[in-house]
Amino acid sequence: MDLTRQQVLFHRIHQHELDRRISDAAELAVFSLGVQDNTTGSAVLSLAARLAEPSVDEFVVTWSVRGAPHLHRAGELKAFARALWPWSDKDALARASRPKVDDMLASLRHIATAMRSIVTKPTTKGDLSKALTPLAPKQTIEACRSCQTEHVSDPIFRLGALPAGLRIIPGEKTVTFERIHGWPGVPRKTAGFHELVHRYLTLHGPAGPSEVAGYFGTTTREVKKQWPAEGLVEVTVEGRQAWLPEDVEIADAEPPDVRLLPPTDPYLQARDRDLLLPDKAAQKDIFRILGRRGAILVDGEIAGSWQGRVVSGKRFEVTATPYRPLPDLLPEAQILAQAKGLDDASVKSN
């Protein structure tokens, strides 16, 4: 089967439930991998693009995929921690941004165990880091200019949170952790990464090992060691080799007229950005390292970027940067405003 780019995009839009709005947040397909959040509360905007009445109250926030904050269904966190646990030192080093650490897996297990022992009550990130540093292997500690001190490398610190069974308390001014009750302990070995590959390919497929590796923050070589031997079918996307789960059929969906997707939206997490957005200038606009912008999805294509801010404490102002003529964005902006608990919305263009 050789698929066109448009077929793949329309299929993904359907898998991400962007062609409709459903009623039950717990049933959203994107929670199979979690929904990334940021300091401005982007996760609720991702839900607003898919739900009739978005709310994040029933989900748990923790650092999970790539050490980034994600919303997850509470009942899945134990299995998710086992599936995300690195399977080799090389895998662990890649996920920790390749620090100079021998026995990286053993060091990560040591740190996660210590983090669990420290957090016996709500504990801020700063207090946890301060208590953790004297307990951590020396190779994991680095000098920090912004803190003017030494502490455990931030990527390693973040990787330790979920295996330690820690969640982030919502609504606190600074990142504050508490224990997840009934935690079985730090995983002893990886269990279930094949299922995560299946989930990635269900949402972001057809794709291959390099895209899966980019999403989970490891290397293509390491992912190939864990690539499922069964349950996948090989296809091509305009001649490029890719895979889909064998139980997933290519959806012939109608894309939505308009969706405003926040910068960390699950749809934008696919690692084949040339397929999502072939224009290189537009890629630089959307996927910038600092100050990333949301995407304006129109008829199945990313037609512009947007930024939002709260004005006068009650209005959500969307500033659009169009790549081509855009339809009326105000109805979608009003949906996002309501999701943020604001009274009104407005739209302007750069």
Side-chain angles (χ1 to χ4, degrees), residues 284 291 310:
K284 290 181 180 179
V310 178

Side-chain angles (χ1 to χ4, degrees), residues 3 31 57 71 88 108 134 142 163 171 199 212 254 266 321 335 341:
L3 301 170
F31 277 109
D57 293 344
L71 270 65
S88 69
L108 182 58
E142 63 181 14
R199 293 179 184 187
V212 172
E254 287 294 327
T321 300
I335 289 173

Side-chain angles (χ1 to χ4, degrees), residues 12 16 32-33 195-208 211-216 245 269-272:
R12 289 185 188 176
H16 281 257
S32 65
L33 291 174
E195 174 61 24
L196 294 189
V197 172
H198 187 284
R199 293 179 184 187
Y200 180 90
L201 295 177
T202 297
L203 286 175
H204 300 291
E211 289 80 29
V212 172
Y215 180 82
F216 289 105
Q269 298 292 338
R271 284 332 198 230
D272 48 1

Side-chain angles (χ1 to χ4, degrees), residues 220-288:
T220 302
R221 178 176 293 183
E222 285 300 308
V223 166
K224 285 182 176 179
K225 295 177 184 178
Q226 296 289 325
W227 197 250
E230 299 178 345
L232 302 180
V233 294
E234 187 176 336
V235 299
T236 56
V237 179
E238 299 189 344
R240 179 179 60 85
Q241 185 183 37
W243 286 264
L244 272 175
E246 62 184 8
D247 57 350
V248 173
E249 295 184 4
I250 292 294
D252 184 17
E254 287 294 327
D257 294 336
V258 181
R259 288 289 188 273
L260 296 178
L261 306 181
T264 56
D265 189 82
Y267 182 76
L268 303 177
Q269 298 292 338
R271 284 332 198 230
D272 48 1
R273 291 174 175 172
D274 287 340
L275 188 142
L276 278 181
L277 188 56
D279 185 270
K280 294 297 184 181
Q283 280 188 30
K284 290 181 180 179
D285 181 38
I286 292 281
F287 300 113
R288 58 184 68 196

Side-chain angles (χ1 to χ4, degrees), residues 68-321:
H70 282 71
L71 270 65
H72 292 277
R73 291 181 282 237
E76 297 181 349
L77 280 175
K78 296 174 186 177
F80 210 83
R82 292 192 296 270
L84 275 183
W85 183 254
W87 52 82
S88 69
D89 280 330
K90 289 182 179 179
D91 178 34
L93 283 166
R95 299 197 202 197
S97 300
R98 297 172 179 81
K100 295 179 180 179
V101 177
D102 298 326
D103 300 322
M104 185 64 220
L105 263 179
S107 294
L108 182 58
R109 180 173 289 106
H110 181 104
I111 285 169
T113 302
M115 291 173 75
R116 179 75 179 183
S117 69
I118 293 166
V119 180
T120 57
K121 61 182 181 179
T123 307
T124 65
K125 178 187 176 185
D127 287 344
L128 174 54
S129 178
K130 184 177 180 180
L132 177 64
T133 298
L135 303 177
K138 290 183 179 180
Q139 289 181 314
T140 66
I141 298 171
E142 63 181 14
C144 178
R145 289 182 180 179
S146 61
C147 297
Q148 303 249 317
T149 187
E150 292 186 339
H151 56 65
V152 173
S153 166
D154 190 62
I156 299 174
F157 185 85
R158 288 172 172 268
L159 287 177
L162 179 57
L166 303 182
R167 59 178 289 173
I168 297 171
I169 302 174
E172 297 292 322
K173 291 182 179 180
T174 185
V175 175
T176 303
F177 296 98
E178 67 180 359
R179 286 185 170 188
I180 300 170
H181 295 299
W183 199 250
V186 178
R188 294 183 177 274
K189 62 179 181 179
T190 309
F193 187 76
H194 287 190
E195 174 61 24
L196 294 189
V197 172
H198 187 284
R199 293 179 184 187
Y200 180 90
L201 295 177
T202 297
L203 286 175
H204 300 291
S210 63
E211 289 80 29
V212 172
Y215 180 82
F216 289 105
T218 186
T219 66
T220 302
R221 178 176 293 183
E222 285 300 308
V223 166
K224 285 182 176 179
K225 295 177 184 178
Q226 296 289 325
W227 197 250
E230 299 178 345
L232 302 180
V233 294
E234 187 176 336
V235 299
T236 56
V237 179
E238 299 189 344
R240 179 179 60 85
Q241 185 183 37
W243 286 264
L244 272 175
E246 62 184 8
D247 57 350
V248 173
E249 295 184 4
I250 292 294
D252 184 17
E254 287 294 327
D257 294 336
V258 181
R259 288 289 188 273
L260 296 178
L261 306 181
T264 56
D265 189 82
Y267 182 76
L268 303 177
Q269 298 292 338
R271 284 332 198 230
D272 48 1
R273 291 174 175 172
D274 287 340
L275 188 142
L276 278 181
L277 188 56
D279 185 270
K280 294 297 184 181
Q283 280 188 30
K284 290 181 180 179
D285 181 38
I286 292 281
F287 300 113
R288 58 184 68 196
I289 296 174
L290 297 176
R292 284 183 63 175
R293 298 183 177 183
I296 303 170
L297 193 66
V298 178
D299 297 329
E301 291 283 356
I302 296 175
S305 68
W306 69 275
Q307 294 174 288
R309 65 175 188 141
V310 178
V311 179
S312 302
K314 62 180 181 179
R315 177 166 55 88
F316 189 59
E317 181 181 82
V318 169
T319 301
T321 300

